[in-house]
Structure formats: C-alpha cells, structure tokens
Amino acid sequence: MDPQGGHYLNISAVASAVGVARLCQLALGCTTLSLVAHQAGYSAAYGTFCMFVWCFCFAVSAVVFALDFTRLHSCLRISWDNFTIAFAMLATLMYVTASVVYPVYFLRSECPAGGCEVRGYRIGVTVCSCLCALAYAAEVLLTRAKPGHVVGYMATVSGLLKIVQAFVACIIFGALVNDSQYGRHIATQYCVAVYSFCFAVTVIVVGVTVSGRTSALRCPFDRFVVIYTFLAVLLYVSAAVIWPVFCFDKKYGQPSRPSGCPRGKCPWDSQLVVAIFTYANLVLYIADLIYSQRIRFVSQTP
C-alpha cells in the first residue's frame, strides 16, 4: 500500500506545493473564463488570442491534474516530469502575453459602451490572468533543477530556455506574416529561413525530450544540443546583422517609420518587431550555450 494515497490516487498531487500551484491554476483559469464569458467579453484577433490562451491552458492543466491525481500518467509513453514543466513554462509565457494584450486592447480609462460594470469585469479578468501567470511560474520554480537533484533535461535552465526560444520565434513569425514584406530581398528571406530552421530544431529537441526518446539519437544528446545551440547562435548573429540592414538602411528600406503608415498594418512596425525579437532570441541562445557548456563541465567532474 502506497502511503501517499493507496494504489490508485496520488494525494501529493493535491497536498504538495506543486499540487497547490496547479489547483490555483485551475481556480484562477476557471474564474478568468467565467468573467470573460459572463460580461467582460472579447473581440477581434487579439481577444480571440487571449481566449485561446485561457481555454488551452485551462484544458491542459485539468488533464495534467487529473492524470497526476489518478496516476494514469504512468500509462503514457512520455517523460511526465519533462512534459509538465515544459507545459508550465509555456503556459507562463502565454499567460503573461495575454495579461498584457487584454488590458491594452480592452481596458480604457473611460467606461465602454456596455457601461462601467463591463470595465470592472475586464479589470477582474486582467487581475486573475496575472495571478494565474504567477501560479504557473511558481510551478516552474518548484520543479526546476536544483543542485544535487537528478531531473529531466526540461527542468534545467537550458531546457526552459528552449521553450522561451520557441515562444519568441512564434512572435517573430506572427510579425513576419503581418505584412512585413520579407519577400522583397533574398537576404530577408534568408533570415526567415534561419528563424524557421532554429524553431524547427528547437521544437524537435523539446519533442524528443518530452517523448523520452533521447537515447534514439545516434550521438549523445548533450553533445547534440550543444552543437545545435552553437550553430543557432551563429545563424542568429547573421540574421541580427542582415535583417536591420535590409529593413532600415536607406538603400534598401526605411530608416524611420513612414508618416502615413496606419498603425497595426504598417510593414515598418512588423520589421521592427522582428528585429527586436531577433536580438532577444540571440541573447537567449547565447545564454543557453553558456549554460549547456556548464552542464557538460559539471557532468564530467569526478
């Protein structure tokens, strides 16, 4: 008989710190969805994105909690610990984004057409969304790698950075498809190829880790990750140089924002977003490379 709840139920899924964090995620996520559905409302692409984030994270969190509490996750052919922390990190990033986007587009100092009561509900949605982001971040902090503990790759700083890199790449892709005019030059098309290649390999690394198939690689997993991260740094350095030149240099693009360019549909804005997040991802890959080297050094110490 297992002292943590018998053969079937896992009481620590409720009584532990991680279990409490997951219960908070479910409670706050349900409250957020209820407020939006009741009267806060959402509309347009930005509102749909926020609603997708809240629905997706709530649904996956409910499945994770149910599988953990019933121990049914042992029937899945995945690395459960790697999956849960990878999802918690992704949910943190998604909730932070939604918590910024929703008030920017739906909160105003004056009362909306639906009345001041609607504004109150929208403030409540924003607060609950921010608190839920903190709940997911708490799970990441509680389950991340600690000195002396044996954990999965996704619980390390390098593994968590992989999630952030992929998320930043998604923001870059969103800006690219928003009339960025990247097809005007071969050089900017090359940058898109860099973003796509690095994103694809990063997703493969995360997928292989979560599925527990790292041993299927024909070379040591840690060596593969380090080599790929080094290559990604080189590729992002080239993109960080090429993209601004062909978008903001007088010879190829616009050094400053055109005066008659409408907000939300201006290619210059999208190009600026791509440039900013290119440098952000470059910093993330450099940090990843440094930490990956540190892991190798520690693991080789007798």
Side-chain angles (χ1 to χ4, degrees):
M1 184 72 69
D2 190 333
Q4 290 187 332
H7 292 297
Y8 304 108
L9 299 182
N10 180 18
I11 300 301
S12 65
V14 179
S16 65
V18 174
V20 172
R22 289 174 180 168
L23 286 174
C24 291
Q25 295 162 12
L26 291 174
L28 291 167
C30 183
T31 304
T32 301
L33 290 172
S34 300
L35 291 173
V36 173
H38 177 60
Q39 203 164 359
Y42 68 97
S43 60
Y46 298 107
T48 303
F49 164 78
C50 294
M51 197 61 175
F52 166 77
V53 167
W54 297 324
C55 291
F56 170 77
C57 292
F58 178 78
V60 178
S61 295
V63 172
V64 167
F65 181 80
L67 291 177
D68 194 23
F69 184 64
T70 60
R71 304 183 191 273
L72 289 176
H73 63 81
S74 59
C75 301
L76 303 177
R77 295 184 177 180
I78 63 172
S79 176
W80 181 250
D81 291 337
N82 280 319
F83 169 75
T84 53
I85 192 169
F87 166 69
M89 188 69 215
L90 177 62
T92 301
L93 296 171
M94 294 178 72
Y95 254 93
V96 167
T97 305
S99 300
V100 173
V101 170
Y102 189 82
V104 166
Y105 287 94
F106 294 96
L107 268 183
R108 298 288 185 272
S109 57
E110 67 277 2
C111 295
C116 293
E117 186 179 0
V118 173
R119 185 179 63 179
Y121 278 104
R122 290 177 177 177
I123 293 174
V125 168
T126 304
V127 172
C128 288
S129 184
C130 292
L131 292 176
C132 202
L134 292 176
Y136 281 109
E139 180 179 349
V140 173
L141 292 174
L142 289 168
T143 55
R144 67 183 176 87
K146 299 176 180 62
H149 290 192
V150 178
V151 294
Y153 172 72
M154 295 309 303
T156 66
V157 173
S158 182
L160 295 174
L161 284 174
K162 289 290 187 294
I163 303 296
V164 184
Q165 292 159 7
F167 186 79
V168 171
C170 289
I171 297 176
I172 292 175
F173 292 140
L176 286 172
V177 299
N178 188 27
D179 195 24
S180 64
Q181 299 180 353
Y182 66 85
R184 294 176 59 184
H185 306 288
I186 295 179
T188 52
Q189 293 178 33
Y190 160 79
C191 293
V192 175
V194 168
Y195 305 141
S196 302
F197 171 77
C198 294
F199 173 77
V201 179
T202 298
V203 170
I204 290 173
V205 169
V206 174
V208 169
T209 305
V210 170
S211 64
R213 300 293 188 271
T214 55
S215 59
L217 297 176
R218 294 187 176 182
C219 64
F221 179 72
D222 58 342
R223 183 176 300 177
F224 170 78
V225 170
V226 171
I227 293 173
Y228 155 64
T229 306
F230 177 68
L231 177 61
V233 169
L234 296 180
L235 290 173
Y236 260 90
V237 166
S238 64
V241 173
I242 293 172
W243 183 268
V245 169
F246 281 84
C247 290
F248 307 120
D249 186 81
K250 292 181 180 179
K251 183 178 179 180
Y252 304 104
Q254 293 282 344
S256 59
R257 192 179 191 280
S259 57
C261 208
R263 292 192 176 276
K265 296 182 179 180
C266 183
W268 193 89
D269 292 343
S270 298
Q271 292 166 3
L272 180 62
V273 170
V274 172
I276 292 173
F277 284 97
T278 296
Y279 285 105
N281 236 2
L282 174 60
V283 172
L284 291 171
Y285 276 108
I286 292 174
D288 190 359
L289 180 62
I290 294 172
Y291 191 82
S292 298
Q293 287 291 90
R294 181 184 173 190
I295 290 178
R296 294 184 68 204
F297 173 79
V298 171
S299 63
Q300 292 172 355
T301 303

